[in-house]
Amino acid sequence: MLASYLTFQPQTAKLNVELVLDTNFIVSLLDLNTIESTKNCNTLVEVGKRLGYSFTVLHDTVIETQNLLAFKSSNLDKAIIAKNINREDIYNACDRRNLSSVDLDRIADHLEETIMEYGFHIIPHTEQWHGKVRYSKEYSVLRGLRNSDKAAFHD
C-alpha cells in the first residue's frame, strides 16, 4: 500500500477511513523497532493524513504498549544477547539509539501525550466490546495462536 502512494499527491481527496493502530505500529512509530519500520509508519501517517484518514488508538493498546515498554525497561541490562539477535526488538533499537531503561520509562510515561501529538484519537472506554470479544470465534482461534490469553484478547 505504501509503495503505491509514495509519489501520489492527493489534493482534494478526503476519504472517510479510520485506521486503528496496534502496539507494534506504535512501537515502530516511536523508533523502537527497525529504522525501516519507523520510516514506513511515518509515511503511512503522512499519506493517510493527506487522504483525510483518521487514526485511532484504543486505550487498551496504550496500556499494552506501556506494559511492554516497562517490561523491556526492567530487562534492558540483562538483554545482552537479545540486543544483537533480533534487529526488530526494542532492545536492539535501544542499543542503536543509545537509550537507557530510564529513557524507555519516560517514553512509556508520556505515551498518551505523544500519541495525541501525532493527532491520533484515543478511545478511552472499550468495555462495551469486552463481552463480545470473550465469546467470539476469533478470540477462540487467537487463544491457540498467541502466547497468552491477554494477547489474544487484545488482538
Side-chain angles (χ1 to χ4, degrees), residues 6-71:
L6 286 177
T7 57
F8 178 61
Q9 296 292 325
Q11 295 174 7
T12 58
K14 293 294 176 203
L15 304 175
N16 189 20
V17 175
E18 176 184 24
L19 298 178
V20 181
L21 307 177
D22 68 355
T23 300
N24 193 50
F25 189 93
I26 300 296
V27 167
S28 295
L29 193 62
L30 297 171
D31 196 17
L32 293 173
N33 197 313
T34 64
I35 294 170
E36 298 82 10
S37 294
T38 302
K39 287 179 184 176
N40 288 340
C41 289
N42 279 305
T43 301
L44 179 62
V45 170
E46 178 186 327
V47 170
K49 285 183 177 180
R50 279 192 260 141
L51 289 171
Y53 290 10
S54 63
F55 295 87
T56 301
V57 180
L58 302 177
H59 188 258
D60 300 40
T61 302
V62 174
I63 299 300
E64 183 180 65
T65 306
Q66 288 173 323
N67 289 341
L68 174 64
L69 295 176
F71 174 80

Side-chain angles (χ1 to χ4, degrees), residues 134-151:
R134 287 259 181 244
Y135 301 105
S136 71
K137 180 180 177 185
E138 292 85 356
Y139 176 63
S140 297
V141 171
L142 287 169
R143 284 181 70 194
L145 299 174
R146 299 290 286 166
N147 59 353
S148 73
D149 286 350
K150 190 175 183 179

Side-chain angles (χ1 to χ4, degrees), residues 42-111:
N42 279 305
T43 301
L44 179 62
V45 170
E46 178 186 327
V47 170
K49 285 183 177 180
R50 279 192 260 141
L51 289 171
Y53 290 10
S54 63
F55 295 87
T56 301
V57 180
L58 302 177
H59 188 258
D60 300 40
T61 302
V62 174
I63 299 300
E64 183 180 65
T65 306
Q66 288 173 323
N67 289 341
L68 174 64
L69 295 176
F71 174 80
K72 295 292 186 173
S73 170
S74 67
N75 292 293
L76 185 61
D77 294 334
K78 302 174 219 161
I80 297 165
I81 296 174
K83 288 179 186 179
N84 299 308
I85 291 178
N86 184 1
R87 63 183 292 264
E88 294 180 357
D89 197 281
I90 291 172
Y91 296 133
N92 186 284
C94 288
D95 194 47
R96 172 177 52 83
R97 295 180 55 201
N98 199 29
L99 298 177
S100 68
S101 60
V102 173
D103 295 322
L104 277 183
D105 290 335
R106 189 175 303 114
I107 292 168
D109 289 344
H110 297 286
L111 187 60

